[in-house]
Amino acid sequence: KQTLLPLLRDESSAFVFPCRLALQRPELKHMVMELLRCIPLLLFLIFVCGLDHFIFGVLSIIQNHSFVQYSYQTSHHMSVTVMGTSLMAQLLRSTIGALNSSFETQVETSNLACLPKPHGMTRQQYLNTCLPLAALALLCLAQVYPFRLRRAIATFYFPKREKTRVLFLYNKLLRQRKNFFQLQRRRIAQRARQPPGLGTSLLEWCSQHWPWLRRCQRLSCTLCGTPGTPWHQVCPAPDCGALYCDRCW
């Protein structure tokens, strides 16, 4: 709770606050990992759509440039004429005359039945193919909000376990904060031992001679860098003048 242990700026970024609508840093890391898992599916979908378009183009070329049509036409006429009026001539006309025939043949054929008949996918079909992947990506973005309910559900069913977890987290934060402040004290002490730069010395000299220039200086917290406000505390040590915000102080 805020009244029990107010979090510092660096500490609050490591926690998830369920009531905030914005995505927070721990959730962003998990969300990015989920989105990275969608990349293989996206690459596979692009490969399949590209392969489909390539095969359709090849079959269309075959259909347009491999059409062959054959036209076959023939005629046959046979006529036997027997001259004369004798008995033999009449007999030959009655027998050989049956051989007289006449016919014409015209055949047209093509390989149209053997050619492929490809049908390309429409934009709507491509859109319907990509919709599941888009829905999966949206679920990766929206899953962070249902995941916030996990702790509330666990608290409802295991209240004693929740108290143990809160106590452990509280002690862990106290240890981390103690180590953090010790580290910051050493860092500030090391910075104080270093000689001031030319720009800093010039600003201090100008501030001593023209006190009204101090209003134009941009003051910030020595630890967290928060811009200075009237509620910031100034270190009471002589010749220090370091500025701290209320939490860091």
Side-chain angles (χ1 to χ4, degrees):
K1 295 187 177 182
Q2 296 291 338
T3 56
L4 181 62
L5 183 65
L7 297 176
L8 300 179
R9 176 176 298 179
D10 295 335
E11 295 174 343
S12 60
S13 61
F15 292 91
V16 176
F17 297 91
C19 297
R20 294 183 183 178
L21 296 178
L23 297 178
Q24 301 168 50
R25 183 180 297 179
E27 297 174 332
L28 286 175
K29 182 179 179 181
H30 183 72
M31 183 190 67
V32 169
M33 294 301 298
E34 293 294 333
L35 290 177
L36 289 178
R37 294 179 183 177
C38 298
I39 293 180
L41 296 177
L42 178 62
L43 296 177
F44 177 74
L45 183 62
I46 293 175
F47 171 75
V48 170
C49 293
L51 183 63
D52 172 79
H53 184 72
F54 173 75
I55 294 177
F56 170 73
V58 171
L59 295 180
S60 298
I61 293 174
I62 295 175
Q63 182 187 20
N64 297 329
H65 299 279
S66 298
F67 177 73
V68 179
Q69 184 175 8
Y70 301 91
S71 179
Y72 177 75
Q73 184 176 4
T74 182
S75 61
H76 179 76
H77 298 279
M78 183 177 179
S79 177
V80 180
T81 303
V82 180
M83 307 298 292
T85 58
S86 62
L87 180 62
M88 183 59 69
Q90 294 178 2
L91 182 60
L92 291 174
R93 276 194 295 269
S94 61
T95 55
I96 299 177
L99 297 176
N100 296 339
S101 62
S102 178
F103 63 88
E104 294 183 359
T105 303
Q106 184 175 0
V107 178
E108 292 185 0
T109 183
S110 64
N111 62 344
L112 182 61
C114 302
L115 293 177
K117 299 178 181 179
H119 297 281
M121 294 179 61
T122 61
R123 291 185 178 180
Q124 185 64 32
Q125 291 174 337
Y126 278 115
L127 182 61
N128 294 336
T129 305
C130 298
L131 277 180
L133 185 60
L136 181 62
L138 290 178
L139 287 177
C140 293
L141 298 176
Q143 70 177 353
V144 295
Y145 299 104
F147 280 177
R148 294 180 183 179
L149 301 176
R150 293 180 297 181
R151 192 194 64 83
I153 297 174
T155 304
F156 178 79
Y157 288 101
F158 305 100
K160 294 183 179 180
R161 184 65 177 176
E162 175 68 12
K163 292 181 181 180
T164 305
R165 293 178 67 249
V166 170
L167 184 60
F168 172 78
L169 180 62
Y170 180 77
N171 294 327
K172 179 182 177 182
L173 281 176
L174 288 180
R175 291 193 300 268
Q176 290 179 352
R177 184 172 295 184
K178 182 179 179 181
N179 297 332
F180 173 76
F181 283 129
Q182 291 177 356
L183 177 64
Q184 293 295 339
R185 286 192 184 99
R186 289 195 297 267
R187 185 173 64 85
I188 294 176
Q190 184 180 2
R191 186 192 304 175
R193 296 190 190 100
Q194 295 177 356
L198 180 61
T200 306
S201 303
L202 182 61
L203 286 176
E204 291 180 356
W205 184 82
C206 294
S207 300
Q208 292 176 0
H209 288 75
W210 299 287
W212 56 272
L213 289 177
R214 295 179 180 178
R215 301 178 181 178
C216 302
Q217 294 181 357
R218 293 184 178 180
L219 302 178
S220 60
C221 178
T222 309
L223 277 179
C224 62
T226 305
T229 60
W231 295 275
H232 278 43
Q233 298 288 339
V234 181
C235 181
D239 298 333
C240 180
L243 191 67
Y244 299 93
C245 62
D246 52 353
R247 290 188 176 184
C248 294
W249 178 253

